[in-house]
DNA sequence: ACGTTGACTCCTA
DNA sequence: CTAGGAGCCAACG
């Protein structure tokens, strides 16, 4: 049967379904790369397709697709969010910090992250 | 069924 | 930092 998430995107495509599920898991205040999303979805290497899936996501959806960014920390092209500054506004409202050149501070907000890094403490 | 197409990434210059 | 090229892979016409 067709997979359909209430309030989400109507789709019968497994690839898109998996990609959207991965995107939905990105915590607030964090960002994930297209390649990371593709890999989490089970399609390693399909980062370009992950981007296509974002472009087809409906604007009113609950999906936090504004948290999906390029690996180098740059944002999607302006037309993607209506205006070039729109995505940056959304991310900043979640507490994501940008460098002075308008690039996301990836080291600080990237997700998923290596859990071992959070465990290394006193010792 | 095959050629094109991308909200990508990597590498080089 | 910018620009161009090649590889990538599922969707689409």
């Amino acid at each position: 049967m067709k997979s359909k998430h209430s309030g989400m995107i109507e789709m019968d495509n497994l690839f898109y379904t998996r990609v959207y599920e991965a995107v939905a898991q990105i915590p607030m205040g964090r960002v994930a790369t297209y390649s990371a999303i593709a890999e989490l979805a089970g399609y390693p290497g399909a980062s370009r397709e992950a981007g296509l899936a974002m472009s087809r996501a409906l604007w009113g959806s609950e999906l936090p697709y504004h948290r999906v960014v390029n690996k180098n920390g740059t944002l999607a092209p302006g037309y993607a969010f209506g205006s070039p500054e729109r995505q940056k506004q959304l991310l900043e409202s979640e507490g994501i910090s940008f460098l002075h050149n308008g690039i996301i501070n990836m080291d600080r907000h990237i997700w998923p992250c290596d859990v071992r890094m959070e465990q290394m403490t006193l010792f």
Side-chain angles (χ1 to χ4, degrees):
Chain A
M1 66 176 171
K2 278 189 172 183
S3 61
K4 181 176 181 179
H5 297 222
S6 60
M8 213 195 263
I9 292 106
E10 218 174 305
M11 50 197 168
D12 51 352
N13 181 275
L14 182 57
F15 173 76
Y16 281 20
T17 303
R18 288 277 172 75
V19 166
Y20 293 142
E21 285 174 351
V23 173
Q25 292 179 5
I26 306 175
M28 172 170 281
R30 312 294 290 281
V31 295
T33 64
Y34 296 98
S35 55
I37 291 300
E39 188 163 356
L40 284 174
Y43 296 76
S47 54
R48 298 190 75 177
E49 268 303 311
L52 180 57
M54 294 307 97
S55 71
R56 303 190 89 195
L58 302 181
W59 284 22
S61 74
E62 307 268 327
L63 213 60
Y65 52 86
H66 58 282
R67 298 179 188 145
V68 184
V69 300
N70 296 284
K71 212 164 202 177
N72 58 19
T74 59
L75 302 179
Y79 61 82
F81 285 86
S83 76
E85 287 294 304
R86 180 57 179 159
Q87 186 178 16
K88 190 170 184 234
Q89 289 176 8
L90 290 170
L91 292 174
E92 285 181 324
S93 71
E94 294 186 350
I96 289 178
S97 62
F98 286 74
L99 304 178
H100 61 79
N101 51 2
I103 291 179
I104 294 180
N105 190 339
M106 293 299 274
D107 292 336
R108 184 173 168 134
H109 301 293
I110 189 68
W111 180 90
C113 61
D114 193 331
V115 184
R116 289 169 300 181
M117 295 302 279
E118 297 180 351
Q119 292 181 333
M120 58 180 264
T121 47
L122 15 108
F123 151 68

